[in-house]
Amino acid sequence: MDVKIDILTLFPQMFDVFNYSIIGRALRNNILSINTIDIREFTKDKHRKVDDYPYGGGAGMIMTVQPIVDCIKEVKTRNSGKVIYLGPRGKTFNQSIARELSRESELIFLCGHYEGIDERVYKYIDMEISIGDFVVTGGEMACIPIVDSICRMIPNVLSSKESYMEESFYNGLLEYPQYTRPECFQGNDVPEILLSGHHENIRRWKRAKSLIITRNKRPDLFKKISLSEEDKKLIKLYDENR
């Protein structure tokens, strides 16, 4: 499966991070492709400007409409995916959106900069995503974690399906505690149940701890969970603060 992602940006070099680790391996194995396109290459301004003062006044500069639209149109000739703008009006990104977008075979991300984009660009945008109610330097800073989150759920990017299915947020819960060697470190032991080899008991412990940690750390998430009768019993069994 070859998934194509094009990123429209003023700073292509910022996305070199994808050449490393898990995503870098997926790129080398041709499981997906991530291409950066410099919006500045499409400006018709002789000084290569891509920003200007806003009509009506206001602080800062705005990315101009012409280079962005021409860039989108050119990329659309080889990528039919949704155009996704990283901006403050968008729905806040979460695991559900990541899962939805990971099923797409082609995507286009538009990174804004300065004080935003000319309003007329929105005509060419299919979806807007925000990473939260705070300000970052540019859309690139939001695009990196979003693309990473999407890519790791594409088949064969990770070594096994379980690698992401048991991670925090995938099923609406925070992840259970995990341990590795040594078995005892400065008087702190690995829970005995994890050394037992009893797979069903281990599964029940992991489920219980995931539920309890989510309840304690993220009650907002816990409220959305529909607890089974087994879940309720497991919480009572393993809740150390009861």
Side-chain angles (χ1 to χ4, degrees):
M1 180 180 184
D2 184 10
V3 177
K4 180 189 295 183
I5 296 176
D6 286 313
I7 301 172
L8 285 49
T9 173
L10 295 178
F11 301 97
Q13 63 273 25
M14 291 183 69
F15 296 94
D16 288 349
V17 64
F18 289 130
N19 292 322
Y20 303 93
S21 191
I22 291 168
I23 306 303
R25 183 184 64 207
L27 293 173
R28 291 188 291 275
N29 291 337
N30 296 316
I31 296 169
L32 59 92
S33 64
I34 299 177
N35 310 298
T36 55
I37 297 90
D38 190 345
I39 297 170
R40 200 177 297 275
E41 296 297 324
F42 293 84
T43 182
K44 294 179 180 177
D45 183 271
K46 64 180 181 180
H47 301 296
R48 288 173 55 83
K49 282 188 62 179
V50 292
D51 63 315
D52 209 338
Y53 294 103
Y55 281 119
M61 307 288 277
I62 305 296
M63 288 182 70
T64 54
V65 61
Q66 177 271 314
I68 300 176
V69 170
D70 284 357
C71 184
I72 291 173
K73 287 182 175 179
E74 194 281 331
V75 172
K76 275 287 190 180
T77 63
R78 51 186 170 75
N79 184 329
S80 60
K82 296 176 182 176
V83 176
I84 301 170
Y85 174 54
L86 291 313
R89 300 179 192 173
K91 186 174 181 180
T92 303
F93 187 72
N94 57 29
Q95 192 70 11
S96 176
I97 296 174
R99 190 182 306 119
E100 172 191 339
L101 293 177
S102 72
R103 300 186 184 110
E104 302 285 337
S105 59
E106 296 184 331
L107 291 168
I108 301 169
F109 287 91
L110 171 61
C111 301
H113 217 76
Y114 310 116
E115 295 301 315
I117 58 175
D118 188 300
E119 188 70 18
R120 290 166 289 187
V121 177
Y122 276 94
K123 178 181 176 182
Y124 301 88
I125 292 170
D126 301 303
M127 182 179 187
E128 185 170 2
I129 294 176
S130 167
I131 57 169
D133 298 335
F134 55 92
V135 180
V136 293
T137 303
E140 292 81 8
M141 308 302 289
C143 189
I144 290 171
I146 288 173
V147 170
D148 180 78
S149 179
I150 292 167
C151 287
R152 61 188 292 109
M153 285 194 290
I154 294 171
N156 300 318
V157 169
L158 298 185
S159 58
S160 69
K161 198 172 185 180
E162 290 74 22
S163 293
Y164 68 79
M165 289 186 70
E166 293 189 5
E167 288 178 332
S168 293
F169 304 115
Y170 182 80
N171 60 1
L173 295 172
L174 298 179
E175 197 169 8
Y176 50 81
Q178 299 198 70
Y179 302 84
T180 187
R181 292 178 177 82
E183 190 174 314
C184 180
F185 179 72
Q186 297 183 353
N188 294 312
D189 295 330
V190 174
E192 188 175 341
I193 194 169
L194 297 179
L195 308 174
S196 68
H198 194 298
H199 298 300
E200 177 58 16
N201 286 347
I202 291 172
R203 181 198 68 79
R204 286 159 54 85
W205 180 89
K206 288 180 176 180
R207 176 69 179 177
K209 289 298 182 179
S210 185
L211 288 164
I212 292 166
I213 288 172
T214 304
R215 183 198 63 190
N216 295 344
K217 301 289 188 180
R218 289 291 304 272
D220 56 317
L221 292 177
F222 188 75
K223 289 177 182 178
K224 299 176 183 178
I225 302 300
S226 180
L227 297 177
S228 67
E229 287 304 314
E230 182 191 45
D231 288 338
K232 295 174 184 177
K233 291 177 182 177
L234 289 174
I235 290 173
K236 288 182 180 179
L237 180 62
Y238 290 105
D239 189 358
E240 297 171 355
N241 297 317
R242 68 183 186 278

